[in-house]
Amino acid sequence: MKVKVGDRDALIVVDMQNDFMPGGALPVPEGDRIVPALNEYIGIFEKEGLPVFFTRDWHPPDHISFKDHGGVWPPHCVQDTEGAMFHKDLRIPLDNKFIISKGTSRDFDAYSGFQGTILEQLLRERGVRRVFVGGVATDYCVKNTVLGALNLRFEVLLLLDGIKGVDVKPGDSEKAVKLMLSKGAVGIELKDLTI
Ligand code: VGL
Ligand code: ZN
């Protein structure tokens, strides 16, 4: 498969935050292992002057997704805490970069970067037709962001070497990948990119 990055493309890096990394509050096993591949994708988009969107989970301290407030998760990605910061080695471009915060109100959760955000608007304003999506977690926020993009009729390239899942139940991530591909996402790896 050959993919050439062009001016209708954008990169979406999902939730590469400390709390989702090994040692964090809601760790994705080996979540940090995808940083180098993601940095390569980011570098390509940066060099081409193309937009890179970083979504982040950005919860208030009493968010409804937290166990003590009726949810299923331990507290994670609380606004302005160390756990909510991006992984320290993640390459964040100076220009043409957008931070998309989600799950910011106490009473709503958002697994998709499109839910309750201006991500769609920012993509449309820039004439983006195709999004490359990587990050964590494959079985939650990556899945929902990809399905959201497909529903909005964006083409989606899923970065198979740039995603990791939680697998609360074994096989969840594999199932999520199959679902995304069956809905129209196309799986690619770094080696598929031509410059
Ligand atoms: C996520 C669980 C809870 C994610 C966010 O980013 O995939 N998972 N909040
Ligand atoms: Zn969350």
Side-chain angles (χ1 to χ4, degrees):
M1 164 114 194
K2 283 270 164 280
V3 177
K4 194 169 163 35
V5 171
D7 60 6
R8 286 170 175 251
D9 293 332
L11 175 60
I12 304 177
V13 178
V14 177
D15 295 8
M16 288 299 291
Q17 297 164 272
N18 292 328
D19 272 342
F20 294 129
M21 299 294 130
L26 181 41
V28 175
E30 304 186 341
D32 53 341
R33 300 266 195 104
I34 59 174
V35 170
L38 289 174
N39 283 346
E40 297 242 4
Y41 287 109
I42 294 164
I44 291 165
F45 277 72
E46 192 177 17
K47 214 171 92 226
E48 300 290 323
L50 297 169
V52 181
F53 294 82
F54 294 88
T55 70
R56 65 181 181 185
D57 228 23
W58 197 247
H59 299 315
D62 52 356
H63 191 249
I64 46 149
S65 77
F66 298 170
K67 276 177 187 146
D68 287 351
H69 301 274
V72 296
W73 304 113
H76 62 278
C77 298
V78 173
Q79 294 166 8
D80 295 310
T81 62
E82 187 56 32
M85 301 298 129
F86 291 120
H87 187 286
K88 64 171 176 38
D89 297 332
L90 190 66
R91 177 167 173 174
I92 314 261
L94 289 175
D95 299 321
N96 231 347
K97 148 208 68 182
F98 304 86
I99 311 280
I100 304 292
S101 302
K102 62 183 173 58
T104 57
S105 343
R106 189 193 60 174
D107 297 319
F108 298 95
D109 201 9
Y111 287 150
S112 163
F114 292 95
Q115 222 178 322
T117 72
I118 59 166
L119 177 55
E120 180 189 8
Q121 184 193 324
L122 293 172
L123 292 169
R124 303 263 186 237
E125 280 170 5
R126 282 157 187 80
V128 172
R129 302 290 295 273
R130 185 170 70 167
V131 292
F132 293 55
V133 183
V136 294
T138 308
D139 34 359
Y140 292 93
C141 288
V142 170
K143 176 175 99 173
N144 284 277
T145 300
V146 164
L147 297 181
L150 290 169
N151 271 319
L152 294 166
R153 296 292 179 260
F154 291 99
E155 279 180 61
V156 178
L157 298 182
L158 178 64
L159 309 179
L160 297 174
D161 49 2
I163 52 175
K164 283 285 178 191
V166 199
D167 286 320
V168 171
K169 277 202 269 103
D172 278 355
S173 297
E174 206 185 309
K175 259 177 57 190
V177 169
K178 285 203 176 121
L179 178 67
M180 292 184 267
L181 299 180
S182 78
K183 297 282 184 186
V186 173
I188 66 161
E189 297 184 349
L190 272 171
K191 63 169 170 45
D192 296 317
L193 291 188
T194 59
I195 310 184

